[in-house]
Amino acid sequence: MDLTLPRTSPESPLDHTAMLLVGHPNVGKSVLFHRLTGTYVNVSNYPGTTVEVSRATARFDRALSLLDTPGVLSLPGRSDDERATMRALLHEELRLAVQVGDAKNLRRTLTLTALLAELGVPMVLALNMSDEASARGVAVDHKALSEVLRIPVVPTIATGGSGMQPLIDALDVAKAPAPLLHYDTDTEAVVQEATALVEELAPHPRLASRGLAILFLGGDSEVEQWLQEKSGDDYARLVALRCAADAASSEALAARLAAERGRAADALTKTVMDQSAHLRRPMAQRVGQLAVHRLWGWPILLAVLYVVYELVGVFGAETLVGLFEEQLFGEVLNPAVTDFFNRIFGAGWFTDLFVGQYGLWTMGMTYALALILPIVTTFFLAFGVLEDSGYFSRLSVIANRMFAMLGLNGRAVLPMVLGLGCVTMATLTTRILHTRRERLITTFLMALAIPCSAQLGVVLGLLGGMTFAGTVIWAVTILFVLLFTGWLAGKLVKGRRIPLVTELPPMRLPVLGNVLKKTGGRLKWYLIEVIPLFLLGTFIMYMLDRLGILPWIIRAGEPLVTGWLGLPPEASAAFVMGFLRRDFGATGLFALSSQLSAEQAVVGMVTLTLFIPCIASMMMIIKEQGARTAALMVGMIVPTAFLVGGILHQLLRIFW
Amino acid sequence: MSNREHLRLIGVPVGSKIRLAEFDPALDPLQREQLLAYGLSVGHPLEVLQQSPLTVVLCDHVEIALEHAVASDLWVEKLPRHAP
Ligand SMILES: Nc1nc2c(ncn2[C@@H]2O[C@H](COP(=O)(O)OP(=O)(O)OP(=O)(O)O)[C@@H](O)[C@H]2O)c(=O)[nH]1
Ligand SMILES: [Mg+2]
């Protein structure tokens, strides 16, 4: 008999099975999710790490499914990741919600509580980051707060694991919070009228009509959509009500509602929080300020880049790759494997398939494991440390001016920097941007000119070993293309540029365990996603070669590849492979490195870096932007890549 | 509130303790809502940490960076040195 019976059996009368973790961005929801479910989702020190809902079974209650949601700056939500959270609130079989709040910023936390309270969902408030709060002299009387809100309030430190059992215990006594405020008379009248209408037209099975009415009046697009579906033609009555209310006042209704919630939260905060007066500024804050300093920001950026280059470009791409590719694979493994195949199967097509020029082992696996893996590993390590430090958010301040040229603001820095890790995932992160226009431009620029880690790996592997000047020319060209096309896109894509307003999370010492876990997860992705494609690509090359198609491709591509780009004719094959993954195409070029001059290597790498990223990222772009936009992007990217490559070839022929 | 003069946030020296007095009507309503969501509400005390390349203010232990276009639409008043 199974002795590990779950605490709540499946026939439990509680048929609602979902528990939502909601809260502001970067407050520790995902760390808490990991603690409560054992399922790791990415944790980083910047707002916007989680952009999709993830779910897993609770450790302490097998019948309860926990949902980690994207952070919401405010509800009504204004960006696509916030909308995902609202969707979860609307559509999940919600049993309760845990609001995760930042204890050192209680006022903001309670502003969101004020809205959640209106939805009437049973709640618990977890005041996370209690450690940082006390370090800053903030003391919250959580008993008093709990009395006012009439819900359990539990101080926690998610990273250290403290407060977890009290939090789990509190879930059993979760309650719908007492409302924090009544709006001013005029607004309240509108709210009540809208509430009555929602109640009549589209009552929600779990959420209170008043909460939905307030979100609707504030212009939440998910709630609008839900109400519209439920109420059909009568939806016009709700819209008419909101229009009338908006017209009756000089101030926008949404802002008025938000301001009143802010005031209520402010008042409550003053009664339950104590801020000790004399406090030294934390060291982390001073470091953080230097990082965005008008002058110091730049040397710090250079220093960070230098350290990353030393780790990835020198230690990873030279030392480790040398060790793996030349010594382990080149001298030990590959001769042994080749010998094995030759002895057992003799020379012939089968042996060639594994250990020939386009052999699955000698080409596919050797590149994937000996060449790219070391570089990608060191890159992910460096990246994870930077993510956890809080530096990435500060880059948006430094780069804001440059991004203003592209018609974007510094917020777009985050997806672009994440694109250096993986363009596919970063395409998803564009959801944190506020307008369709920003998302479109950012997605396009990433697909065109942001090399992902695997691509960086091959570039550094080939150019780094060959010519330092070439690496610099490559980087400068890509940066130039990025800025120029960005500038052009900013001019061409219709819409207004939105000025930057963003929070800068505190600088923190990276948690080693988290960095390792994240790196491990990303390496797993690399092994599962990238290596099969490498093998498939190698196999295709092998077949093309065997079936005699390769010479045909080479002939067809000759005018472009040899005539325009000045590359050896065999490089045509690399571009064919580039359609699969651009880094794989780059690897194909690498295979020809003995036949390439430094100039040719640079031209080839630039062209392939500007190629469409990979099949996975194209699927993501189709999912996020639609097939038409994606097709349009490919239609612009491929010619741009060849155009830039050719121009560079002509320039380098003259000047280098 | 008090009858001190109102200054644009963009023109306030670094290190000043200030209080948000009002939003300029020219400020985009969505942006204003965003500022409120970050905790920048009228009457709330702030500290100016930096003015260039962006304006950075400290609000309840959180640093918030604002582009000058936004910072110039925020009217603030200086708090006396000994104020909380
Ligand atoms: N000092 C301290 N840091 C914490 C605590 N909880 C989380 N963190 C850190 O806060 C950062 C954000 O944590 P996440 O779990 O990614 O936050 P999130 O709420 O999921 O953020 P989004 O997904 O962006 O909404 C990470 O750097 C964590 O290590 C805590 O209790 N104390
Ligand atoms: Mg998260």
Side-chain angles (χ1 to χ4, degrees):
Chain A
M1 192 185 141
D2 189 2
L3 292 178
T4 54
L5 265 185
R7 226 172 66 178
T8 316
S9 60
E11 307 88 54
S12 154
L14 296 165
D15 51 344
H16 294 168
T17 50
M19 172 177 130
L20 222 58
L21 292 172
V22 286
H24 284 113
N26 210 41
V27 294
K29 296 179 295 300
S30 297
V31 181
L32 211 55
F33 181 76
H34 181 215
R35 292 253 170 222
L36 297 178
T37 63
T39 303
Y40 180 79
V41 290
N42 271 354
V43 167
S44 303
N45 187 14
Y46 48 77
T49 309
T50 309
V51 290
E52 274 188 317
V53 173
S54 5
R55 66 183 78 221
T57 310
R59 269 185 172 152
F60 51 88
D61 181 349
R62 292 273 136 209
L64 192 62
S65 128
L66 249 64
L67 277 76
D68 181 27
T69 62
V72 287
L73 177 58
S74 68
L75 290 174
R78 302 294 180 212
S79 56
D80 287 341
D81 54 337
E82 294 177 332
R83 284 182 199 118
T85 301
M86 195 61 233
R87 263 201 304 282
L89 277 165
L90 281 168
H91 301 291
E92 295 293 337
E93 292 283 327
L94 210 59
R95 192 196 295 174
L96 77 160
V98 172
Q99 187 194 347
V100 186
D102 180 351
K104 65 180 181 295
N105 197 342
L106 187 64
R107 199 168 63 98
R108 176 144 50 125
T109 303
L110 292 178
T111 308
L112 188 59
T113 314
L115 185 109
L116 293 172
E118 306 281 15
L119 287 172
V121 178
M123 267 179 50
V124 172
L125 176 59
L127 283 182
N128 196 33
M129 309 213 173
S130 313
D131 53 335
E132 291 192 345
S134 26
R136 286 165 174 75
V138 174
V140 179
D141 183 349
H142 59 269
K143 291 223 174 64
L145 183 58
S146 163
E147 267 167 35
V148 177
L149 295 173
R150 288 193 233 136
I151 57 172
V153 176
V154 186
T156 59
I157 305 172
T159 37
S162 91
M164 291 305 117
Q165 197 52 48
L167 180 62
I168 293 169
D169 294 339
L171 300 180
D172 289 333
V173 288
K175 280 193 217 34
L180 260 72
L181 75 157
H182 282 173
Y183 293 90
D184 71 50
T185 332
D186 292 346
T187 319
E188 186 63 38
V190 178
V191 169
Q192 286 184 6
E193 208 178 323
T195 307
L197 212 49
V198 171
E199 188 67 40
E200 175 199 331
L201 300 176
H204 191 282
R206 293 170 300 273
L207 303 180
S209 298
R210 182 178 161 92
L212 290 184
I214 291 171
L215 284 164
F216 169 78
L217 293 174
D220 187 289
S221 55
E222 288 300 322
V223 172
E224 282 172 357
Q225 198 183 339
W226 193 87
L227 290 174
Q228 189 165 17
E229 273 165 25
K230 284 276 157 179
S231 58
D233 290 342
D234 284 328
Y235 180 66
R237 288 165 65 193
L238 277 163
V239 176
L241 175 66
R242 184 171 65 186
C243 284
D246 244 337
S249 144
S250 61
E251 196 183 347
L253 191 55
R256 214 160 73 210
L257 291 163
E260 289 206 28
R261 283 195 293 272
R263 275 196 286 278
D266 196 21
L268 179 52
T269 304
K270 287 194 176 117
T271 65
V272 298
M273 193 195 86
D274 184 55
Q275 168 75 65
S276 70
H278 297 288
L279 216 63
R280 277 205 315 138
R281 181 156 293 186
M283 171 74 174
Q285 196 184 326
R286 276 174 288 164
V287 174
Q289 272 179 261
L290 277 185
V292 294
H293 189 270
R294 184 165 52 95
L295 300 174
W296 286 109
W298 294 102
I300 291 179
L301 175 61
L302 284 181
V304 169
L305 287 178
Y306 177 75
V307 172
V308 172
Y309 178 77
E310 280 293 316
L311 183 70
V312 182
V314 178
F315 178 70
E318 284 174 24
T319 315
L320 286 184
V321 169
L323 217 61
F324 276 83
E325 197 205 6
E326 279 155 33
Q327 300 188 1
L328 183 64
F329 277 73
E331 285 166 20
V332 184
L333 288 179
N334 287 1
V337 174
T338 308
D339 188 50
F340 171 82
F341 270 94
N342 274 325
R343 232 169 336 128
I344 307 281
F345 303 103
W349 66 269
F350 189 75
T351 300
D352 260 3
L353 173 62
F354 288 91
V355 296
Q357 189 191 354
Y358 300 110
L360 291 179
W361 177 266
T362 39
M363 183 170 168
M365 286 310 257
T366 305
Y367 287 167
L369 295 182
L371 188 68
I372 305 188
L373 186 63
I375 302 179
V376 169
T377 309
T378 45
F379 179 82
F380 282 154
L381 277 174
F383 203 71
V385 168
L386 285 175
E387 278 187 325
D388 279 18
S389 68
Y391 186 67
F392 280 172
S393 296
R394 284 172 171 75
L395 272 183
S396 25
V397 172
I398 300 193
N400 188 57
R401 191 164 294 167
M402 192 166 94
F403 275 64
M405 261 170 27
L406 316 184
L408 299 171
N409 69 41
R411 229 178 145 75
V413 171
L414 186 69
M416 292 230 193
V417 171
L418 295 184
L420 293 173
C422 168
V423 173
T424 313
M425 297 317 290
T427 303
L428 205 59
T429 299
T430 59
R431 288 186 182 182
I432 66 168
L433 302 178
H434 285 137
T435 63
R436 253 201 68 75
R437 173 175 182 276
E438 290 172 313
R439 287 196 66 185
L440 185 67
I441 298 180
T442 310
T443 305
F444 175 70
L445 292 180
M446 281 197 306
L448 176 69
I450 301 285
C452 73
S453 50
Q455 173 86 25
L456 277 174
V458 201
V459 170
L460 286 176
L462 178 64
L463 295 183
M466 218 174 195
T467 146
F468 179 73
T471 316
V472 175
I473 294 176
W474 170 84
V476 171
T477 311
I478 298 297
L479 195 65
F480 174 79
V481 172
L482 180 71
L483 292 180
F484 181 75
T485 41
W487 174 79
L488 214 59
K491 291 258 173 289
L492 294 179
V493 181
K494 277 201 269 317
R496 231 160 26 93
R497 175 181 175 271
I498 311 238
L500 178 68
V501 175
T502 189
E503 80 182 286
L504 305 173
M507 297 292 281
R508 297 195 173 103
L509 271 184
V511 183
L512 183 67
N514 186 46
V515 173
L516 292 180
K517 215 174 256 142
K518 213 160 28 173
T519 306
R522 286 170 170 162
L523 287 178
K524 199 168 118 196
W525 158 82
Y526 173 79
L527 294 174
I528 292 176
E529 181 133 328
V530 180
I531 291 188
L533 272 170
F534 264 72
L535 293 179
L536 178 65
T538 314
F539 181 70
I540 293 175
M541 286 300 284
Y542 170 84
M543 289 306 283
L544 292 178
D545 186 38
R546 275 268 133 187
L547 300 176
I549 305 175
L550 200 55
W552 184 83
I553 293 178
I554 288 176
R555 227 174 308 121
E558 201 154 349
L560 191 62
V561 173
T562 312
W564 173 241
L565 295 177
L567 298 177
E570 291 79 14
S572 292
F575 290 100
V576 173
M577 285 151 69
F579 277 101
L580 215 54
R581 290 183 62 84
R582 58 182 167 187
D583 47 301
F584 188 64
T587 316
L589 210 59
F590 204 125
L592 302 170
S593 61
S594 59
Q595 308 171 34
L596 295 178
S597 70
E599 188 254 299
Q600 288 175 319
V602 176
V603 171
M605 280 304 174
V606 165
T607 314
L608 276 164
T609 305
L610 295 176
F611 237 52
I612 44 174
C614 62
I615 290 182
S617 74
M618 284 321 295
M619 298 312 256
M620 185 63 88
I621 296 176
I622 291 175
K623 180 172 150 232
E624 297 289 303
Q625 299 278 346
R628 250 196 51 177
T629 312
L632 204 67
M633 283 189 188
V634 176
M636 292 198 277
I637 287 172
V638 176
T640 308
F642 283 107
L643 181 71
V644 174
I647 294 176
L648 185 66
H649 167 57
Q650 304 302 333
L651 286 177
L652 290 183
R653 232 178 28 170
I654 302 171
F655 295 107
W656 198 20
Chain B
M1 52 184 46
S2 73
N3 51 6
R4 279 164 201 288
E5 74 277 17
H6 291 182
L7 310 165
R8 288 186 193 272
L9 172 55
I10 191 176
V12 175
V14 171
S16 313
K17 311 250 174 163
I18 55 170
R19 177 156 61 192
L20 191 57
E22 59 177 318
F23 295 102
D24 195 280
L27 189 67
D28 179 77
L30 273 181
Q31 202 112 49
R32 176 171 172 173
E33 205 187 307
Q34 198 189 359
L35 291 170
L36 283 170
Y38 278 122
L40 296 178
S41 49
V42 168
H44 199 70
L46 308 168
E47 183 182 343
V48 181
L49 295 181
Q50 185 178 323
Q51 285 286 14
S52 170
L54 299 189
T55 304
V56 180
V57 294
L58 189 65
C59 168
D60 298 334
H61 306 288
V62 180
E63 294 168 47
I64 295 165
L66 314 158
E67 215 170 280
H68 288 161
V70 180
S72 66
D73 281 345
L74 299 183
W75 294 94
V76 301
E77 51 187 40
K78 280 207 190 180
L79 292 176
R81 275 250 154 259
H82 51 83

